[in-house]
Amino acid sequence: MPFLIATSIGILAGSGVWLLLRPRTYQVIIGLSLCSYAVNLFIFSMGRLRSGAAPILSSEAGSLADYADPVPQALVLTAIVIGFATTALFLVVLLASRGLSGTDHVDGQEP
Amino acid sequence: MDGWAHHLVIAPIALPLVAGALLAIYDERRQFLKGVINLLSTLTALYISVALLRQADASAPTVYLLGNWPAPIGIVLVLDRLSAMMILLTAVLACAALVFALARWHTAGAHFHSLFQFLLMGVNGAFLTGDLFNLFVFFEVMLASSYGLLLHGSGPRRVQASLHYIVVNLAASFFFLVGVSLIYGVTGTLNMADLALRIPALPAEHRMLLEAAVGILAIAFLVKAAMWPLGFWLLSAYPAAVAPVAAIFAVLSKVGAYVLLRLSPLLFGTAAGEAAGFGTSVLLVGGMATIGFGILGILASQAMARIAAFSLLVSSGTVLTAIGFSDPHLTGGALFYLVSSTLTIGALFLLIELIERGQNPAADVIAITAETLSLETDEGAEEEGGAGFSAAPAVLGACFVGCALLLIGLPPLSGFVAKLAMLAALMGPAGQGGAVGIPPASWAFVALLVLSGLAALLTLSRVGMRTFWAPVDSVVPRVLVVEIAPVFVLLLLTVVLAIKGGAVLQYMEDTARALYEPSSYIEAVFDAHRAPALGSGR
């Protein structure tokens, strides 16, 4: 599982960065979204990868080793919400730029 | 320290939050009401921040436990000298920018007042928090409102600048998140004081991972502080913003420097063992490169707003270099410089708009393009409301001279005191009178400090002559008294800073010493006792 997670984070981040460096605003926003997925997965994986372990203590029995770390899960939730909001904001600016300049180039004019 | 006084620490965050939310309720037809609410909130914040400064100066760091959880578990707010000083600086600049905006700019777009308050909330939160992830949240609050404020007034140029600004800052936020989560993965904590305790005990094989994490995290702050080569976004973004927004943005770029100043001695001070001093050489070299780039930019600029933006780069670079030296004396001087230069550049951004209004009467509220200033535009003009006052050119000129003196670092204003304090710390390490020998890095910094003053002198005198003396039949700028007053007050404050130089410098020295001996900060965080449960109180 670590290999799978690491590869997917790598592919997402790599594609994201490539798209981020492209000249069209639509490519940039998709690139930002891919990067944010990669980052969210990365944060999640920082709590150690466990399957079938609950993040909330359900009973007194068992040790802490039986549970998943809840902090990265809380962090990733916050990061998702903030990332979503800022991407939405960027989308508005993107559309405004398209409307004002008549082109979807990031510099507002065709090269 | 009980009762209401204890809750004052959270007021700089809670007050703008409530005021911003309240302002969002009223629609744009109630501009007068919104202006009054905003002004009341900002003035109250100023009053509170003065009280907080007194409190921070008198006692050990005050810790406020959010949600009443003890330190490493819950999130803490910490008020010490540094954060109190930065909050006061923000409040002063906010008052000036707001009064300036109320004259005309606040009507140029929707929700100016709410965004303004949310920006203050984010900035104050970033200064107060003692938790890395909470810092991220406040950073995002601050950035989200700054996106909105940069767009204020609209127009193709601002939308274009915002597009780049948002992308750069979103990418920096990803670095922030990766760095923070990696730090959590390595150390298992996000509390800054707890981190300072855990880093020395970290096994050697984990240290590399930690240093990678901190390096990634620092990129986010260095982008915000506009260190070369991460600061090119600033040059297109700040001059595009409307004047009051650019003025308040002057403190925004200091947030990055603040975090570095807070974290570098705390996490990698002398107590950190093997990891001590991590990254200071990067700050040193990067900061100097930033100053050099800023000097070249100042010399090459024609438009005034660009000169101000490059001066901001020089100011950031100077503070970053000073952090890189990790010398308490120098840091004390650099803190003085930080306050003085932020006030100066804030005033300069406000002043530039007033001056350019005189040069280019066709420039209306919606679109001022600095590039077209040299072109002659003689149609239009003269219908915008309110009567100006006739002495405007003389007052503008005097204020410009004041700003120039501050940027160059000539007496009698505070720019001189700031540079003198830094030079004295560099030339005489630890008050030995230079007998110990001065390392080459110090010489380089001294040279850059002097050169930056020279560059400012050349450019500002050139621009000043062209603006105030050369025009034969210049139009008298329509400047309202409430617009020139904030500039004047900011400059007056720098005079006060210079007159009270001894006391202020003493405060800065205390601040710097506390930064480099973080034990009182760490103890305060862990010793903070919880408030009694409801009902069982007093």
Side-chain angles (χ1 to χ4, degrees):
Chain A
M1 189 158 68
F3 177 75
L4 192 65
I5 291 276
T7 326
S8 16
I9 293 177
I11 292 174
L12 280 172
S15 331
V17 170
W18 189 74
L19 282 174
L20 204 54
L21 299 174
R22 304 260 67 211
R24 303 286 153 194
T25 47
Y26 184 71
Q27 292 167 318
V28 170
I29 197 170
I30 296 296
L32 281 172
S33 308
L34 289 183
C35 277
S36 87
Y37 297 148
V39 169
N40 290 341
L41 270 178
F42 181 86
I43 301 173
F44 189 69
S45 69
M46 275 300 116
R48 308 289 182 273
L49 296 169
R50 308 273 301 275
S51 51
I56 299 172
L57 290 175
S58 49
S59 67
E60 301 271 326
S63 73
L64 278 180
D66 299 334
Y67 294 95
D69 190 346
V71 175
Q73 307 195 1
L75 300 189
V76 85
L77 265 180
T78 317
I80 290 171
V81 172
I82 291 179
F84 185 69
T86 42
T87 310
L89 185 89
F90 182 65
L91 191 61
V92 176
V93 178
L94 182 159
L95 289 174
S97 167
R98 174 75 178 80
L100 283 171
S101 66
T103 162
D104 64 346
H105 193 276
V106 285
D107 288 333
Q109 56 194 24
E110 293 297 330
Chain B
M1 190 66 70
D2 56 346
W4 280 102
H6 184 66
H7 294 285
L8 205 61
V9 178
I10 202 175
I13 299 171
L15 181 73
L17 173 65
V18 173
L22 185 67
L23 284 164
I25 295 173
Y26 296 107
D27 70 4
E28 300 302 320
R29 281 167 297 182
R30 314 288 295 273
Q31 282 300 346
F32 182 74
L33 181 67
K34 294 180 88 153
V36 169
I37 295 177
N38 196 351
L39 192 63
L40 277 180
S41 162
T42 313
L43 287 176
T44 316
L46 179 65
Y47 179 75
I48 291 173
S49 55
V50 171
L52 288 176
L53 186 83
R54 285 171 185 278
Q55 184 182 333
D57 194 29
S59 61
T62 313
V63 177
Y64 189 81
L65 302 175
L66 290 174
N68 211 12
W69 287 93
I73 310 285
I75 291 172
V76 292
L77 301 181
V78 186
L79 176 87
D80 64 352
R81 286 196 179 88
L82 180 61
S83 42
M85 179 187 99
M86 297 302 289
I87 287 176
L88 179 60
L89 179 64
T90 312
V92 167
L93 213 54
C95 282
L98 180 64
V99 171
F100 186 94
L102 286 177
R104 67 196 282 195
W105 281 108
H106 69 127
T107 51
H111 293 299
F112 172 82
H113 296 288
S114 297
L115 290 169
F116 190 84
Q117 288 293 321
F118 290 140
L119 183 80
L120 293 185
M121 174 198 165
V123 173
N124 287 340
F127 288 146
L128 279 174
T129 186
D131 181 279
L132 279 182
F133 198 79
N134 196 229
L135 180 66
F136 167 75
V137 174
F138 280 122
F139 244 70
E140 289 302 314
V141 170
M142 174 182 99
L143 288 175
S145 7
S146 78
Y147 304 151
L149 283 177
L150 184 56
L151 281 166
H152 184 71
S154 198
R157 181 154 173 259
R158 288 194 188 109
V159 170
Q160 207 52 56
S162 298
L163 196 72
H164 296 180
Y165 177 73
I166 295 176
V167 172
V168 169
N169 279 297
L170 280 181
S173 300
F174 295 150
F175 280 107
F176 199 145
L177 280 172
V178 170
V180 164
S181 56
L182 202 50
I183 285 178
Y184 179 77
V186 177
T187 63
T189 184
L190 288 172
N191 184 299
M192 293 178 194
D194 200 20
L195 268 176
L197 290 183
R198 291 200 191 192
I199 283 174
L202 215 58
E205 69 266 25
H206 284 171
R207 226 190 58 230
M208 203 164 64
L209 212 52
L210 175 83
E211 289 181 352
V214 174
I216 293 172
L217 183 65
I219 290 179
F221 304 133
L222 290 176
V223 167
K224 200 71 225 131
M227 186 182 87
W228 187 88
L230 301 171
F232 296 115
W233 58 270
L234 188 144
L235 299 170
S236 60
Y238 282 35
V242 299
V245 171
I248 194 75
F249 276 13
V251 83
L252 222 59
S253 64
K254 296 297 183 293
V255 178
Y258 160 82
V259 178
L260 290 166
L261 194 56
R262 164 77 71 208
L263 289 185
S264 173
L266 180 64
L267 303 187
F268 299 107
T270 43
E274 294 279 302
F278 172 73
T280 48
S281 54
V282 175
L283 289 180
L284 197 66
V285 175
M288 286 194 194
T290 315
I291 304 177
F293 177 63
I295 290 175
L296 293 179
I298 288 179
L299 287 175
S301 297
Q302 296 295 324
M304 280 207 206
R306 277 185 79 80
I307 295 176
F310 276 112
S311 305
L312 197 56
L313 279 189
V314 170
S315 139
S316 278
T318 309
V319 175
L320 290 178
T321 315
I323 302 171
F325 274 100
S326 35
D327 165 29
H329 281 283
L330 182 59
T331 308
L335 285 171
F336 193 101
Y337 176 81
L338 189 154
V339 172
S340 158
S341 69
T342 308
L343 292 177
T344 310
I345 294 169
L348 188 58
F349 270 119
L350 296 179
L351 187 64
I352 285 169
E353 200 267 325
L354 298 178
I355 294 172
E356 292 188 340
R357 196 184 288 171
Q359 285 187 335
N360 187 357
D364 63 7
V365 178
I366 299 303
I368 286 180
T369 40
E371 282 77 20
T372 58
L373 274 178
S374 49
L375 303 176
E376 281 183 56
T377 40
D378 44 11
E379 82 280 5
E382 307 288 318
E383 77 292 320
E384 191 63 41
F389 62 108
S390 53
V395 177
L396 287 180
C399 287
F400 184 79
V401 170
C403 282
L405 287 182
L406 282 161
L407 285 177
I408 300 162
L410 286 177
L413 298 180
S414 64
F416 173 70
V417 183
K419 284 199 176 172
L420 187 69
M422 280 193 288
L423 291 178
L426 283 169
M427 303 305 279
Q432 301 292 316
V436 203
I438 300 163
S442 300
W443 279 119
F445 190 31
V446 168
L448 281 171
L449 274 180
V450 175
L451 275 178
S452 70
L454 182 67
L457 173 71
L458 285 173
T459 304
L460 289 172
S461 46
R462 186 187 72 204
V463 170
M465 276 187 243
R466 200 183 60 207
T467 312
F468 293 104
W469 290 350
V472 184
D473 47 2
S474 62
V475 186
V476 176
R478 303 173 64 79
V479 175
L480 306 180
V481 178
V482 290
E483 289 180 305
I484 195 71
V487 181
F488 197 71
V489 168
L490 286 180
L491 292 178
L492 206 62
L493 276 176
T494 65
V495 177
V496 173
L497 270 183
I499 293 173
K500 291 275 176 194
V504 178
L505 212 52
Q506 184 60 42
Y507 180 89
M508 303 297 181
E509 294 267 333
D510 289 345
T511 310
R513 212 171 307 119
L515 277 178
Y516 286 95
E517 284 161 17
S519 53
S520 68
Y521 177 92
I522 297 169
E523 274 167 27
V525 169
F526 282 102
D527 290 350
H529 43 74
R530 301 166 61 186
L534 277 181
S536 73
R538 294 171 270 171

